[in-house]
Amino acid sequence: MPIIPTPFGFAYTDDIDIQGMAESIERLKRPEGPVDVVLDTDTYNEVDDQFALAYLIQSGEKLNLKAIYAAPFDNHHSCGPLDGMERSYQEIKKVLSMMGRTEYEDCIYKGAGAFLKNETEPADSPAARHLAELAMNYTKEQPLYIIGIAAATNLASALLLKPEIRERIFVVWLGGLGLDWHDNFSFNAKQDVAAARVLLGSGVPLVLLPGRGVVDHFLTTGPELEYWLRGKNPFCDYMLDKTAHEAAIMSGESCWSRPISDVTAVGWLVDNEFMLDRLEPSPIMEYDHHYSKDKRRPFIRYVYSINRDRLMKDLFDKLAAI
């Protein structure tokens, strides 16, 4: 039977690996009780990363934040991946300062200054090295939970630096578009397709939150933000003004709504009532920005529905309490 090698030593044959499939399902169980987490974020990219970071910190009863990694990005808010990462690093510090949570400043690490060149060479960075070393302190039974809300560059690089951490981590990644969408031209995926392929092909337990068709439905409006958050604290006022400014640029409409999608990646770990997911074979992100499928690949959890109102209420309550 033909054997197909992968960068992480898996071998797929014409027969389905029933034992491997069963193990991948077992490792995808939701955690019980508080867990240790790290956040990988391109915080300066838009506005939803700041909401997600604050929500994570305010969910300390469930999530014990161990590190924050600044990720590269390249759009109208940066002059390239390195500049995007540096701006994100500074924005993380700004958010922590406004929240009065400067104790986390020693936990911030700079990520890669460039995207992966290929699927075998890591983009070395303090973030990737820290993640690779930190993950070695965990086990398959009690993994380190990684919340990724950016291109997967730092995450893939850590896996390439130390492949054995795939047995010690659990990843919640917001990337790609819905499996039923006509393409996969997602911001987080398209910037570093090589990193996405490494992550999704590594066999790590993974929850995939796709953009178009799923998490883009987690949106808010100006009047709603004003009602729930205006005047609560400096962070809330900062985010209201920033969100309105970004919406005016992107929408151009006086009556606008704005996705704050990255919050959902944190929400999946906070409460199992916030969204619905199902098991799917890990999809393959191709370089032409479309998916291909191989049903022999390990299972992931694929989020397909979000209880927008319930999650938004929890978000607003926690941000108002900063």
Side-chain angles (χ1 to χ4, degrees), residues 92-105:
I92 293 167
K93 295 175 69 174
K94 185 174 184 177
V95 168
L96 296 178
S97 177
M98 285 187 292
M99 293 182 67
R101 303 301 298 268
T102 53
E103 71 269 23
Y104 288 108
E105 285 193 353

Side-chain angles (χ1 to χ4, degrees), residues 295-309:
K295 292 186 178 181
R296 297 167 297 180
R297 284 165 67 93
F299 281 114
I300 63 168
R301 282 187 179 269
Y302 173 81
V303 174
Y304 65 88
S305 179
I306 297 170
N307 188 324
R308 181 264 179 205
D309 293 350

Side-chain angles (χ1 to χ4, degrees), residues 179-180 280 282-284 286 291-295 297:
L179 294 180
D180 296 324
E280 290 277 356
S282 178
I284 302 168
E286 299 289 6
Y291 286 116
S292 62
K293 299 178 181 179
D294 183 341
K295 292 186 178 181
R297 284 165 67 93

Side-chain angles (χ1 to χ4, degrees), residues 45-58:
N45 167 36
E46 293 187 86
V47 296
D48 46 353
D49 290 79
Q50 294 94 327
F51 280 112
L53 172 57
Y55 182 48
L56 193 165
I57 292 173
Q58 291 296 101

Side-chain angles (χ1 to χ4, degrees), residues 227-238:
Y227 179 84
W228 288 101
L229 298 181
R230 177 66 73 185
K232 299 298 183 182
N233 51 65
F235 173 77
C236 286
D237 287 344
Y238 170 73

